[in-house]
Amino acid sequence: MKPAPFEYAAPKTIAEALDILGQNDLDEVKLMAGGQSLMPLLNMRLARPSLVLDLNHVEGLDGIREESSGLRVGAMTTKRVLEDSDLVRSQYPLLWESTVAIGHAPIRNRGTVGGSMVQADPASEYPAAALAFDMEFVVMSSAGERVIQAEDFFVTYLTTSIEPGEILTEIRIPRLPPGTGWGFQELARRHGDFAIVGALATVRVESGLCCDPRIVLFGAADRAIRVPAGEACLEGAPPSEASLTVMGDAVFDAVEDPLSDVHASAEYRRDLARVLSKRAMSEAMSRAS
Amino acid sequence: MAVRIPNTLNELPASQPRFVGRGIRRVEDASLLTGRTPFIDDVVLPQMLHCAILKSPFAHARISSIDTKEAEALPGVVAVLTGEDVLRWSYPAQSAPEGWGSHCMATDVTRFVGEPVAAVAATSRYVAEDAIELIFVDYEPLEAVADPFEAMNSDSPLVMEDQGSNVMMDRVFNWGEVDQVFSDAEHVVREKFRWHRMGANPTETFGCIAEWSPLDLSITLRGSIQSPSMFALGRASTFGLPPNKVNVISHPHGGSFGGKGGSRGSDITCMLSRKADGRPVKWIEDRIEYLTSGGSQAWDRHYEAAIAVDADGIVQGLDVQLVDDIGATGDMYGAICAAKPLAAFTGPYTIQAARYDLKLVATNKLPSGPYRGMGPPPHFFVLEQLMDRAARLRGEDPSEFRRKNFIRSDQFPYTIPSGNEYDSGNYGEVLDRVLELSDYTEMRANQVKAREEGRLVGVGVASAIEPGVFDWNAYAIVGMQGTGVPEGATVGIDVMGGVTVRVGFALEGQGQYTLVSQLVSDFFGVVPEAVQVVQLDTQSAPPSFGPGGSRLGVSITGAVLGACEKIKEKMIRVVASLMQCEPEQVRLLDGKFGVEGVPGAEMTVPEVAGTMLARSDLLPPDVDPAPVATHVWTAAGRTEPDEEGRAKSYLTAAHAVHVVQVEVDRATGMVEIQRYCLADDCGTRLNPATVEGQTDGSVAQGIGAALLEEYAYDEDAQPLTTSFMDYLLPTVFEVPEIEKVAVVTPSPFTPLGAKGCGEGAIHTTPAAIMCAINDALLPLGVQTTEVPASPRRLWKLIQEAQS
Amino acid sequence: MSALVPVKCHVNGRVVETMVDARMTLADFLRHELGLTGTHVGCEHGVCGICNILVDGQTTRSCLMLAVQAEGHEIRTVESLSDGDKLHPIQEAFMEEHGLQCGFCTAGFMMAICDLLENNTNPSEDEIKDVLGGQVCRCTGYNTILRAVKNAAAKMGSAGA
Ligand SMILES: Cc1cc2nc3c(=O)[nH]c(=O)nc-3n(C[C@H](O)[C@H](O)[C@H](O)COP(=O)(O)OP(=O)(O)OC[C@H]3O[C@@H](n4cnc5c(N)ncnc54)[C@H](O)[C@@H]3O)c2cc1C
Ligand code: FES
Ligand code: FES
């Protein structure tokens, strides 16, 4: 299990990286971030680039910056940095929970935020968090910069709307409105495994009624998805067990065609979507103030 | 010379054993902890090449052509091997049942995904993997069969055409008046069960380095090889060589658990070395190779079983029908797993009649192999589920129902219907201790409360036997020949009082070298640091089988003590002659030879050794001057199997009762183990710390079996679990604290009264967890019969119950 | 043939400067080019944790990094733990608690534990499990490994105090 031959480049600046991309057949180049998804694929020869373009030496791609509207996280920031950040833990607890649910400590030490987003594994926590927060993705290419909204970013299984030749440089993470309660639930065969299904929920409770409820699922479709039908059931409803049941059933109906594999049948995933979205939303309700 | 080997600790020549019986630190650890122990992939030989193997992507296909030209032309490639070479140079492997062996590489037809079809030796593994991508194979896909019931149909595709059928074996064994006890029964409990394929997965895969000597047609094979002498015999047979032309050098290995495999890879590298003019060729199986085509898969079983219970609640009969999916060939010896239950067919119970209806069936899956426990763990899962159902039917507590069916301590040695004899035990005591440890009554009370809250909490009590010290005769029904499995050791003492022990097996984790040091230290009054254990290759070692079948602890104890006794006898004669007394007056105690009735007349062991080595002129003429002796130990009293397969096979019968509490999440089907308690009795504990280590590890593997581990295939026999992302081993989160208590009933038949304990808890753990899950599910009126109890399966059951 | 690329890094306190095949994994580089065979390999796809080493003090899968990516980093392997014949407290703890059987997984565990205990000599059970969670031991069932971590924490805590 050894990688096929490739060449290697480690540019120091974005400009240099874009330059290298410009000089090569884009289908033959693979960008390498933390390598925690790419390296297994290289080792198994399932990815066979002729050039690996390592982003680890590119300046200015990592770190967390706080602004009034939210966070700006460099694409190459490792999950460990988010996990260790008091700011993230105290002000963005849903992001923190999503972070520590990813794999294991050594994976988070090296795996990056950007890498998880671009990998777009349907069972991954981060794309779901992106939908929960309405994150924005800043992407650079030789043509300049563009910003992609989370809802447009994840296309399907392992595919995003990033084009070959583009580099994700930054992720903008808006702060959730004050008073927003949140919940995070996932079911995996073992602690730290990719989830079978997971759910993120946010909601505010105003005058005793649910306001702006949001439900995001991962592992339930070909990508992370929001469930508007479930959200609609809750808007303006009291935060009660009865509302949750109605919401759960709506989620169940909305998740039409989940993946089926050795760990979970489609019908099981569908029911888990119901169960976990209810549990996550129930947590969110109890945290909303 | 007849040697009497101590059966109790008191018989050791030590006023108080200082090391045996204690959990001393292991002598092997310092080297392991500093990364110095040479595992096979750490070894580099001059001129060494690296092998990569091209595997079949089809479960069943005819190979129409193979083109290796481009691979051969790749710089760095030295040799390419295909089926043509293999046909020329080797024979099909031996197998059980006989005649179901194949060549190490497909020669015309591939029979499972992952079967080798070509191989390369090159200057690095990287280049070798580049080269196998340049081998072009034309396959003509054939219909594959993945289900053993389909495979038994007359219109099924044939896995081995020559055999004319996919049924490898179909026989019914009757032991006792089975029909009678079933027709007399008050209750008959019958059920179907399914145990899915799973297996060993040691953290180190198989690896080897082969050297073919073109001069004298001999082979040197280094590797992570569990049973070196057997492996040498196997290679000799595939190459038609005399066994002494194959020298196997086993390296310390990263676990084995019976599932190291490696025969195909070894044969391939031997032939690649032959093609490369004798240059050494290394092959390190990677994990994906291990999972799809290694020695990884065992126990793919479909059961229908019943017990007959009389009016007093005594189980009188056991009827087991097993369809065992062996996979494509019999050369990885999965079949012996189906035979081994004979050694403990009726478990710890007084069941007097039993039937075993056994069908071994070939399919286009990876040939199955052995795994820790060999065959009884699934068998006991079945038996224990039936016991629970019977107890429930009678409204009896599962622990008490088991107790009244236990073989009583005054009934030993006890012969079970399938022929084996259990040496000793105190099953009631083991049960008492674990009930105490777990606070069983309170556990049940908590369960009542939890149920009132609507939670699915369950308690499982399961009991099983671990047959120890295997013998070939246990596997006679699937065609294994012979009785008696030797283990030898050579002990030598130098002038400085250092003791060197030479053995024929490599380290694989059970702490055997530590055990050897403990024994020798107490025998000759030295410290473990003064004992050097040396591993020899198969051309130099005394006869040895090595670890396997829960045998090595007992067997090596016999071998080492036997050799020590022989040295002691020689030394006594030397001392008697020097002290001018009768040998009967000389006693060895705490490292000194003294003369009875003559205070102060003493010689230390090194003094005697020094005299023997330096002054043979002072020795009596008939005393061999070497303070060295070899002893080969075999279990006494093993018998030839009768027509129904009955034999005294495994020498010891360890016993355990496990009590487990689980909670099943009714919405998701996830199982949480809330408490894990066990009591076990494996006789004298020679090193309690290593015994506990074996137990812990075996519980963990049992947890994996019950909840996580499964090799899945689709209908076309394509494997679906080909990486560690899908084949799930338990981690620290899945294994709870394991609370343990020991009962010690020494074996009357073994060195120091120890019993085999290496395979251990996996005999009981899956059964106990499944009992607990079913106990949890009781309020829903459903029961699971499938292992592993994965969440999707339990969820489905719960859904069915609620709809 | 892959391109040869230069790499300069520190391995166990020594400077290593050499050319490597671009595609070579760091695990293979350490084991087969530098002869540091104490780091073992169990899966080569990131799941078993046996190949764990420290990169700038952080636990890292050496099978999921290219050798060339060691450029500019500080690598530590199991060979760096003991000082001559004096074992590291983590090694002593493993020995005392019987935290190993075959020993094949042990280096990976010890390096992860080193990362943990160098930053926190009083970890909670959850913190310990979080660190150990990503790796497999097939022999011990983890009970004794957990004990070894606590034992080592006590040793390192009192040594630091
Ligand atoms: C044992 C194990 C368990 C895991 N468990 C989980 C889990 O539970 N949940 C989970 O979400 N993940 C899990 N992962 C995956 C892990 O989180 C990866 O780190 C992540 O998916 C990818 O991040 P990376 O930085 O390693 O990216 P890489 O592997 O380097 O890259 C991933 C992909 O993204 C592309 N890419 C990376 N960065 C950029 C960029 N800046 N611009 C454009 N393209 C880019 C690469 O070309 C590649 O195609 C696990 C991995 C392992 C090995
Ligand atoms: S070998 Fe690197 S994680 Fe398994
Ligand atoms: S000690 Fe053998 S795998 Fe951990």
Side-chain angles (χ1 to χ4, degrees):
Chain A
M1 211 198 288
K2 310 289 180 194
F6 53 72
E7 296 196 9
Y8 172 83
K12 297 227 161 32
T13 63
I14 274 281
E16 209 185 312
L18 291 173
D19 230 34
I20 297 171
L21 283 174
Q23 290 160 18
N24 281 278
D25 178 351
L26 292 177
D27 292 337
E28 293 282 313
V29 185
K30 227 16 184 157
L31 299 178
M32 168 99 89
Q36 303 300 290
S37 291
L38 183 56
M39 278 298 295
L41 296 174
L42 289 172
N43 288 353
M44 296 177 194
R45 298 193 178 210
L46 295 172
R48 327 184 39 122
S50 56
L51 173 70
V52 168
L53 202 165
D54 189 348
L55 296 176
N56 282 282
H57 298 270
V58 176
E59 277 162 21
L61 283 188
D62 63 347
I64 307 176
R65 271 187 300 147
E66 195 191 14
E67 297 191 341
S68 56
S69 58
L71 298 178
R72 285 168 167 252
V73 176
M76 288 297 290
T77 311
T78 62
K79 286 148 194 149
R80 168 81 174 255
V81 169
L82 266 68
E83 184 177 348
D84 288 350
S85 156
D86 290 336
L87 172 67
V88 172
R89 190 166 190 170
S90 60
Q91 305 294 310
Y92 299 81
L94 177 55
L95 178 61
W96 191 85
E97 285 290 336
S98 310
T99 304
V100 296
I102 296 175
H104 316 286
I107 306 298
R108 299 194 296 272
N109 284 345
R110 205 161 162 85
T112 65
V113 180
S116 280
M117 295 298 184
V118 181
Q119 183 66 23
D121 193 298
S124 171
E125 291 80 358
Y126 266 179
L131 294 179
F133 281 90
D134 283 332
M135 294 185 193
E136 292 177 336
F137 296 88
V138 183
V139 169
M140 295 269 276
S141 70
S142 51
E145 189 179 285
R146 65 177 179 125
V147 178
I148 310 172
Q149 303 301 314
E151 62 198 55
D152 303 323
F153 191 78
F154 303 101
V155 178
T156 181
Y157 190 73
L158 306 180
T159 309
T160 66
S161 54
I162 287 196
E163 301 287 336
E166 287 186 323
I167 300 175
L168 174 66
T169 55
E170 187 177 85
I171 298 122
R172 296 184 184 149
I173 308 177
R175 192 182 277 280
L176 295 174
T180 304
W182 58 275
F184 180 93
Q185 285 281 324
E186 78 168 52
L187 189 97
R189 290 294 304 274
R190 295 172 305 184
H191 191 279
D193 281 340
F194 271 105
I196 295 177
V197 173
L200 281 71
T202 58
V203 70
R204 278 177 292 123
V205 178
E206 284 175 8
S207 325
L209 298 174
C210 294
C211 193
D212 276 349
R214 184 169 292 204
I215 304 159
V216 186
L217 299 173
F218 53 106
D222 61 344
R223 66 206 141 93
I225 50 165
R226 263 182 75 175
V227 195
E231 295 169 1
C233 302
L234 277 189
E235 186 68 58
S240 64
E241 198 53 46
S243 312
L244 284 172
T245 304
V246 174
M247 181 209 83
D249 293 344
V251 169
F252 182 86
D253 290 339
V255 179
E256 279 171 346
D257 190 19
L259 199 81
S260 182
D261 62 20
V262 282
H263 301 301
S265 60
E267 42 170 1
Y268 178 42
R269 280 204 163 82
R270 202 172 170 196
D271 196 48
L272 284 179
R274 181 181 65 82
V275 169
L276 298 176
S277 60
K278 279 174 67 184
R279 287 182 183 176
M281 186 53 84
S282 164
E283 285 176 352
M285 286 171 172
S286 65
R287 284 189 180 112
S289 57
Chain B
M1 179 167 39
V3 178
R4 216 199 141 280
I5 294 169
N7 175 238
T8 65
L9 292 179
N10 295 338
E11 295 166 55
L12 286 172
S15 34
Q16 182 69 45
R18 293 173 302 156
F19 303 105
V20 178
R22 288 173 205 267
I24 69 161
R25 292 187 186 195
R26 306 195 316 166
V27 300
E28 40 273 80
D29 284 353
S31 154
L32 288 166
L33 286 164
T34 50
R36 292 199 183 92
T37 299
F39 293 94
I40 187 65
D41 192 28
D42 305 344
V43 177
V44 178
L45 298 180
Q47 292 281 302
M48 189 170 80
L49 299 170
H50 300 264
C51 162
I53 301 176
L54 180 67
K55 305 283 172 78
S56 169
F58 293 101
H60 200 190
R62 190 169 304 284
I63 300 173
S64 352
S65 68
I66 299 189
D67 178 355
T68 60
K69 277 195 285 309
E70 277 191 47
E72 279 159 34
L74 188 74
V77 170
V78 177
V80 178
L81 191 81
T82 65
E84 215 175 292
D85 307 301
V86 165
L87 273 178
R88 187 166 64 239
W89 285 336
S90 69
Y91 299 99
Q94 303 274 344
S95 71
E98 223 179 306
W100 287 88
S102 78
H103 284 94
C104 61
M105 190 176 266
T107 53
D108 53 347
V109 170
T110 70
R111 298 191 175 86
F112 60 94
V113 172
E115 183 168 13
V117 290
V120 169
T123 47
S124 84
R125 174 67 176 241
Y126 288 77
V127 174
E129 291 193 18
D130 296 343
I132 57 171
E133 294 189 320
L134 299 174
I135 297 174
F136 303 99
V137 185
D138 272 335
Y139 294 99
E140 183 196 315
L142 303 171
E143 202 192 329
V145 58
D147 177 87
F149 293 95
E150 273 170 37
M152 287 190 281
N153 288 339
S154 55
D155 59 352
S156 164
L158 292 178
V159 179
M160 283 206 177
E161 217 146 287
D162 296 354
Q163 295 285 349
S165 157
N166 292 322
V167 180
M168 294 175 155
M169 175 180 159
D170 183 357
R171 244 192 96 176
V172 182
F173 301 87
N174 275 295
W175 304 303
E177 301 300 322
V178 189
D179 290 330
Q180 191 65 46
V181 297
F182 271 86
S183 64
D184 292 350
E186 180 81 8
H187 327 271
V188 170
V189 186
R190 180 175 292 279
E191 187 57 79
K192 288 185 176 167
F193 299 94
R194 173 81 172 105
W195 182 294
H196 290 273
R197 261 183 190 232
M198 35 92 58
N201 267 293
T203 51
E204 181 204 38
T205 55
F206 180 78
C208 64
I209 306 173
E211 285 175 89
W212 178 279
S213 165
L215 299 178
D216 62 350
L217 292 184
S218 70
I219 293 169
T220 305
L221 184 67
R222 293 172 173 80
S224 50
I225 292 165
Q226 182 175 350
S227 313
S229 57
M230 288 304 295
F231 218 75
L233 284 175
R235 309 290 68 70
S237 144
T238 38
F239 294 118
L241 293 173
N244 60 1
K245 289 283 187 186
V246 181
N247 192 22
V248 171
I249 305 170
S250 183
H251 274 257
H253 34 293
S256 177
F257 315 111
K260 211 71 176 175
S263 52
R264 283 187 170 74
S266 299
D267 292 345
I268 287 170
T269 46
C270 285
M271 285 185 271
L272 277 170
S273 172
R274 182 171 190 173
K275 266 207 143 169
D277 295 328
R279 286 175 73 172
V281 178
K282 179 191 265 190
W283 179 60
I284 303 297
E285 181 178 53
D286 67 40
R287 182 60 59 182
I288 291 180
E289 292 181 297
Y290 180 78
L291 291 169
T292 52
S293 53
S296 55
Q297 304 189 6
W299 308 343
D300 192 345
R301 297 185 166 179
H302 303 257
Y303 280 102
E304 182 171 342
I307 52 176
V309 188
D310 72 13
D312 299 324
I314 301 302
V315 183
Q316 299 291 357
L318 170 62
D319 179 6
V320 179
Q321 297 167 32
L322 169 60
V323 172
D324 201 345
D325 179 349
I326 298 293
T329 69
D331 49 38
M332 286 167 79
Y333 292 98
I336 59 182
C337 294
K340 181 172 169 190
L342 265 66
F345 202 82
T346 39
Y349 309 119
T350 52
I351 301 170
Q352 40 155 312
R355 173 180 295 139
Y356 197 20
D357 176 343
L358 177 60
K359 292 183 177 61
L360 305 178
V361 183
T363 61
N364 290 107
K365 297 187 196 163
L366 176 65
S368 73
Y371 175 38
R372 188 177 203 158
M374 298 291 273
H379 180 85
F380 289 141
F381 149 67
V382 167
L383 176 55
E384 289 300 272
Q385 303 314 302
L386 295 173
M387 291 297 284
D388 263 10
R389 280 162 198 239
R392 248 173 243 139
L393 210 59
R394 298 182 52 83
E396 293 178 27
D397 183 90
S399 66
E400 292 314 309
F401 183 68
R402 283 171 173 81
R403 185 194 301 280
K404 74 180 187 191
N405 278 286
F406 275 159
I407 298 164
R408 291 189 322 273
S409 50
D410 60 5
Q411 289 176 293
F412 294 97
Y414 184 90
T415 301
I416 59 171
S418 51
N420 196 24
E421 179 190 75
Y422 294 171
D423 52 347
S424 69
N426 193 345
Y427 300 171
E429 168 82 5
V430 172
L431 178 61
D432 285 340
R433 299 298 303 277
V434 73
L435 294 181
E436 207 174 280
L437 175 73
S438 59
D439 213 336
Y440 183 68
T441 324
E442 182 160 337
M443 237 184 202
R444 286 290 181 196
N446 291 338
Q447 180 188 23
V448 171
K449 268 189 243 145
R451 277 191 180 151
E452 282 163 7
E453 294 161 15
R455 289 161 52 206
L456 300 178
V457 170
V459 177
V461 181
S463 181
I465 295 299
E466 176 189 4
V469 192
F470 93 88
D471 199 285
W472 291 119
N473 63 3
Y475 318 134
I477 62 162
V478 295
M480 302 302 287
Q481 310 251 317
T483 305
V485 186
E487 195 63 44
T490 301
V491 177
I493 304 179
D494 62 40
V495 277
M496 307 301 288
V499 188
T500 304
V501 183
R502 296 176 178 81
V503 299
F505 57 89
L507 288 174
E508 68 176 23
Q510 304 93 327
Q512 318 287 15
Y513 290 9
T514 302
L515 172 59
V516 168
S517 324
Q518 290 174 280
L519 294 164
V520 170
S521 296
D522 277 333
F523 201 98
F524 288 119
V526 298
V527 290
E529 291 71 34
V531 182
Q532 188 66 40
V533 185
V534 180
Q535 180 210 334
L536 301 179
D537 56 47
T538 53
Q539 283 181 339
S540 356
S544 161
F545 178 86
S550 293
R551 72 178 289 275
L552 191 55
V554 170
S555 308
I556 195 67
T557 300
V560 167
L561 292 180
C564 290
E565 287 285 345
K566 287 178 181 172
I567 295 176
K568 182 184 93 180
E569 287 311 314
K570 285 196 213 182
M571 288 189 159
I572 283 176
R573 305 203 31 225
V574 172
V575 173
S577 130
L578 295 174
M579 301 269 188
Q580 302 184 347
C581 63
E582 293 303 314
E584 290 71 34
Q585 288 176 271
V586 181
R587 288 271 179 284
L588 171 64
L589 192 71
D590 300 331
K592 293 192 191 94
F593 288 93
V595 180
E596 236 168 55
V598 189
E602 267 184 6
M603 279 183 88
T604 64
V605 169
E607 281 167 358
V608 184
T611 309
M612 290 170 78
L613 289 166
R615 298 298 308 271
S616 56
D617 54 323
L618 299 181
L619 307 187
D622 58 341
V623 168
D624 162 24
V628 176
T630 297
H631 186 71
V632 177
W633 185 89
T634 43
R638 305 304 88 194
T639 56
E640 286 292 317
D642 70 9
E643 249 134 60
E644 292 293 299
R646 283 174 294 217
K648 281 198 200 178
S649 55
Y650 280 66
L651 179 65
T652 65
H655 172 243
V657 182
H658 294 202
V659 174
V660 193
Q661 183 183 312
V662 303
E663 178 160 358
V664 181
D665 181 331
R666 70 162 77 216
T668 65
M670 284 292 281
V671 175
E672 183 200 359
I673 299 176
Q674 297 176 322
R675 266 194 88 191
Y676 204 105
C677 302
L678 66 90
D680 71 337
D681 181 355
C682 57
T684 309
R685 294 174 177 243
L686 301 173
N687 184 325
T690 56
V691 173
E692 286 190 20
Q694 292 299 302
T695 307
D696 286 352
S698 196
V699 168
Q701 292 185 358
I703 290 171
L707 300 177
L708 294 166
E709 298 181 36
E710 174 175 359
Y711 288 104
Y713 283 82
D714 72 8
E715 322 72 81
D716 300 319
Q718 282 287 334
L720 302 175
T721 38
T722 60
S723 82
F724 268 174
M725 295 296 251
D726 287 323
Y727 190 86
L728 308 177
L729 301 178
T731 73
V732 70
F733 286 101
E734 286 73 45
V735 183
E737 186 191 344
I738 301 156
E739 300 170 56
K740 298 179 284 282
V741 60
V743 172
V744 176
T745 313
S747 172
F749 305 141
T750 64
L752 303 182
K755 299 183 182 182
C757 64
E759 295 171 295
I762 197 171
H763 287 85
T764 326
T765 300
I769 293 174
M770 296 305 289
C771 287
I773 292 172
N774 277 330
D775 191 45
L777 294 176
L778 263 190
L780 301 178
V782 283
Q783 295 284 279
T784 171
T785 54
E786 232 173 315
V787 168
S790 53
R792 76 180 155 96
R793 292 200 174 106
L794 292 184
W795 170 83
K796 193 148 188 255
L797 259 186
I798 296 169
Q799 291 286 306
E800 283 163 9
Q802 289 176 342
S803 68
Chain C
M1 201 47 197
S2 280
L4 284 180
V5 286
V7 62
K8 183 176 176 186
C9 57
H10 280 82
V11 178
N12 297 337
R14 295 223 179 106
V15 180
V16 171
E17 194 168 3
T18 183
M19 302 292 285
V20 288
D21 189 347
R23 61 167 158 166
M24 181 172 283
T25 64
L26 182 53
D28 280 350
F29 177 68
L30 294 169
R31 291 178 44 72
H32 301 308
E33 302 291 311
L34 303 185
L36 295 169
T37 52
T39 300
H40 302 143
V41 165
C43 73
E44 293 178 288
H45 53 276
V47 188
C48 74
I50 285 165
C51 68
N52 282 347
I53 57 167
L54 300 186
V55 177
D56 299 336
Q58 291 191 356
T59 314
T60 303
R61 305 284 204 240
S62 61
C63 71
L64 296 190
M65 239 178 110
L66 296 171
V68 59
Q69 293 186 299
E71 178 67 31
H73 292 293
E74 180 109 35
I75 308 289
R76 275 158 68 194
T77 68
V78 64
E79 285 87 352
S80 72
L81 286 182
S82 56
D83 178 7
D85 64 357
K86 192 169 163 14
L87 295 182
H88 188 280
I90 296 174
Q91 292 169 316
E92 292 212 346
F94 265 77
M95 196 183 243
E96 286 166 14
E97 305 294 347
H98 289 253
L100 69 158
Q101 288 178 27
C102 76
F104 196 74
C105 70
T106 316
F109 275 98
M110 290 195 300
M111 298 321 286
I113 293 164
C114 198
D115 177 4
L116 172 74
L117 297 183
E118 282 181 0
N119 297 302
N120 176 7
T121 51
N122 192 18
S124 66
E125 179 100 5
D126 281 349
E127 286 170 318
I128 299 174
K129 282 193 172 174
D130 188 49
V131 165
L132 304 186
Q135 45 199 308
V136 168
C137 173
R138 194 57 160 162
C139 298
T140 63
Y142 309 100
N143 279 222
T144 54
I145 295 180
L146 279 175
R147 287 212 292 272
V149 181
K150 290 172 194 163
N151 177 331
K155 284 190 164 76
M156 289 168 75
S158 63

